[in-house]
Amino acid sequence: MGAFEPGRRLRVVPTDPDELRAFVEGIDSASPFPNGGAVAYRIRVTLDGVMPPVWRSVTVRSTSRLDELHDVLQTVMGWNDSHLHQWRRPAPENPGVVDRFATRSCIEDGFADGARCEDMTRLDDVLTIPGDVMVYEYDFGDGWEHTILLEGIDSDESPEDALCLAGERACPPEDCGGVPGYARLLAVLADREHSDHVSLSVWSGGFDPEAFSVDDVNALLAARDAMDLYPPVTGSRIEQVLARIPYQAAPHVHALMTRAHLQVRFDQSIDDVMDGALTHLRWLLRRIGDDGIALTQSGYVPPVHVKAARDELDWGDRRVGNSDRETDNPHFERLRDSARALGLTRKYRGQLVLTKRGSTALARDQELWDEVRTGLPLGRERIELEAGHLVLLTVAAGASWSERRRAMVEGLAALGWRNPDGSALNAFDASWVAAATEDFLSTIGALGPFDGVPPDWARGFAQIVLST
């Protein structure tokens, strides 16, 4: 069973207890095993009584406390941590006796007499040599039991974070009735003619027993502590949005926090950020000026102004073409729409004119900067604003186009948004509701090339906006 990827540095670890202790003492001679320095434990977690098998192979710090390992197991298996749990193992020096480890609350409430507290017990106190096992019990009603096997020890590595190496099949849905209830659920889902097939399919949310992805599990592990380790600025609007998104429902959203740097102000020169963010808008406001721009009978900007924008502004990799008509230049249309959405321009008696705020912003760059910084995300409906916040988060994190779409679909679903027919939003739907913010960011070049990453100034811009 190849649990480690090729290229990982491993040593042959002895299995004899005395040899193993001498081996680990050689790693950290100041602290004899099992209370010495941390090493990487490779453990296999198997859900007992379930066929086909549901299992995970995970590497964790040997010095992890059992309460910390509980969080890891909940994440890698796919449980929701909505029930009680405990641990047990055969007492090494008392045959027939079982050691139990419980949560502090259960012990204090008198529900776990004789048990040791899990938050006072290290993993290397209970699993010492490869082959050692213990049992992790979860949900005393359904009675799920997991066998935890110490597969091996990698002496060269002490991981900061848990990492899922391999596994198979999805974790059963919560509250499905334990092993017998899960067996019945699988049988009913496999039988389209069964009278309960539709109701259980709906109840289980389209459960796929074969679904498993190492990448998705590791995204969950990365997302688990991201908000604690990399929190957004207290009181910021993005903090309010993220507080409503559970990491289990949107791991790729939370994982972005490790790269978005929203807990501090961006330290790049403000001039660079302002120049990138304001160039196109500043050009348009100056073009309109005090006299305004007379629109065509159809309500469009005349070709002479569109041509000037094509010639004088940098549109990046967007296709500009040769036509001077506004309808053939969607990038220009989006710029005009963004200026209107920010409250800087409006139509008045057949002209495109500056609003009072637009005139003030034209006079001073700082005013224009403040209008843009506080005006984003764009949109009138709550779904548009929340989608816009997610777009800005992906820009702050330097996410690619594909990462952006995945995070937006996850985030909007976690926030409770659905299509009118009740179906889940797809990538196209997410882009559509975020269009006002995305269009502005695309127009100023903040999204970068297709499936590339945003430029540094754009990341700084998004970080500043989200810290507001």
Side-chain angles (χ1 to χ4, degrees):
M1 179 171 54
F4 280 84
E5 297 176 0
R8 293 180 69 98
R9 296 190 301 150
L10 298 175
R11 292 182 186 173
V12 177
V13 179
T15 57
D16 178 80
D18 292 333
E19 291 181 7
L20 181 66
R21 281 166 173 76
F23 173 79
V24 177
E25 287 174 13
I27 301 171
D28 186 353
S29 58
S31 302
F33 188 86
N35 296 314
V39 293
Y41 267 20
R42 179 166 28 96
I43 62 174
R44 183 183 175 99
V45 186
T46 304
L47 187 60
D48 297 343
V50 172
M51 293 299 293
V54 176
W55 63 274
R56 308 286 185 262
S57 183
V58 188
T59 184
V60 295
R61 284 181 294 108
S62 61
T63 54
S64 301
R65 301 188 312 270
L66 291 186
D67 62 316
E68 295 173 321
L69 183 59
H70 158 73
D71 291 338
V72 171
L73 296 185
Q74 287 286 313
T75 302
V76 300
M77 291 301 296
W79 298 118
N80 296 332
D81 200 7
S82 54
H83 298 283
L84 297 175
H85 69 276
Q86 67 175 2
W87 315 77
R88 70 176 192 269
R89 66 153 187 179
E93 298 178 358
N94 296 289
V97 176
V98 174
D99 289 334
R100 290 192 303 128
F101 309 87
T103 63
R104 181 171 294 276
S105 60
C106 280
I107 293 173
E108 291 176 347
D109 292 341
F111 298 136
D113 291 340
R116 293 164 57 185
C117 190
E118 65 173 2
D119 64 22
M120 297 292 289
T121 306
R122 281 178 18 174
L123 178 57
D124 57 13
D125 287 332
V126 291
L127 299 182
T128 302
I129 62 175
D132 280 355
V133 298
M134 64 178 172
V135 173
Y136 169 68
E137 301 177 46
Y138 173 65
D139 185 356
F140 301 156
D142 277 6
W144 295 110
E145 295 193 348
H146 309 68
T147 295
I148 313 298
L149 166 68
L150 177 55
E151 290 187 299
I153 301 173
D154 178 2
S155 65
D156 288 342
E157 298 187 30
S158 175
E160 288 298 320
D161 302 304
L163 181 68
C164 184
L165 305 171
E168 287 185 297
R169 299 179 185 86
C171 183
E174 296 269 1
D175 305 315
C176 68
V179 172
Y182 182 53
R184 178 179 182 274
L185 174 65
L186 293 182
V188 172
L189 293 180
D191 182 3
R192 293 183 176 275
E193 302 302 320
H194 196 285
S195 59
D196 293 332
H197 176 82
V198 173
S199 61
L200 284 181
S201 295
V202 173
W203 175 85
S204 65
F207 175 72
D208 178 4
E210 296 298 318
F212 172 76
S213 164
V214 168
D215 290 341
D216 286 348
V217 170
N218 283 324
L220 275 169
L221 288 170
R224 184 168 51 104
D225 300 321
M227 283 290 287
D228 291 331
L229 296 174
Y230 308 96
V233 171
T234 301
S236 60
R237 287 174 291 173
I238 189 62
E239 181 191 42
Q240 300 170 32
V241 173
L242 291 173
R244 296 168 41 227
I245 302 178
Y247 83 86
Q248 298 94 331
H252 293 95
V253 172
H254 280 256
L256 291 173
M257 296 299 293
T258 64
R259 298 150 49 189
H261 304 300
L262 299 183
Q263 69 274 26
V264 294
R265 296 290 180 180
F266 191 59
D267 57 6
Q268 185 176 347
S269 169
I270 195 70
D271 291 337
D272 295 339
V273 176
M274 287 179 62
D275 187 58
L278 304 183
T279 296
H280 291 69
L281 277 174
R282 186 191 300 119
W283 182 94
L284 181 62
L285 298 185
R286 288 174 177 171
R287 192 77 184 183
I288 296 172
D290 294 334
D291 296 331
I293 293 177
L295 301 174
T296 67
Q297 289 186 344
S298 300
Y300 292 108
V301 172
V304 62
H305 302 289
V306 177
K307 182 178 185 304
R310 289 174 54 244
D311 294 342
E312 298 174 21
L313 292 173
D314 180 6
W315 299 103
D317 65 347
R318 287 168 292 283
R319 296 181 60 183
V320 175
N322 297 317
S323 172
D324 295 335
R325 298 175 57 188
E326 186 177 8
T327 53
D328 296 328
N329 290 268
H331 48 283
F332 184 86
E333 281 189 296
R334 288 194 290 266
L335 175 60
R336 181 158 74 110
D337 289 342
S338 297
R340 177 189 52 77
L342 286 165
L344 303 176
T345 65
R346 65 187 180 102
K347 288 183 180 179
Y348 178 72
R349 293 185 177 180
Q351 285 194 308
L352 181 64
V353 299
L354 300 179
T355 62
K356 183 177 181 180
R357 288 163 56 189
S359 296
T360 302
L362 177 60
R364 294 182 63 245
D365 262 0
Q366 185 61 47
E367 294 291 338
L368 179 57
W369 169 250
D370 289 341
E371 292 288 349
V372 174
R373 178 178 57 84
T374 60
L376 290 176
L378 299 177
R380 296 181 178 179
E381 303 293 332
R382 186 161 66 93
I383 186 174
E384 294 179 288
L385 298 175
E386 292 180 348
H389 275 108
L390 292 173
V391 173
L392 287 162
L393 175 60
T394 66
V395 174
S400 66
W401 183 91
S402 56
E403 288 181 301
R404 181 178 310 120
R405 290 291 174 264
R406 180 170 56 185
M408 289 176 63
V409 168
E410 278 188 355
L412 290 172
L415 288 166
W417 294 109
R418 298 288 186 272
N419 285 311
D421 62 1
S423 62
L425 300 177
N426 58 30
F428 176 82
D429 300 324
S431 181
W432 185 77
V433 296
T437 299
E438 275 200 341
D439 284 351
F440 173 69
L441 294 174
S442 174
T443 296
I444 65 175
L447 298 183
F450 178 75
D451 215 20
V453 296
D456 287 344
W457 71 262
R459 296 188 62 181
F461 173 57
Q463 288 159 1
I464 292 171
V465 170
L466 292 177
S467 297
T468 300

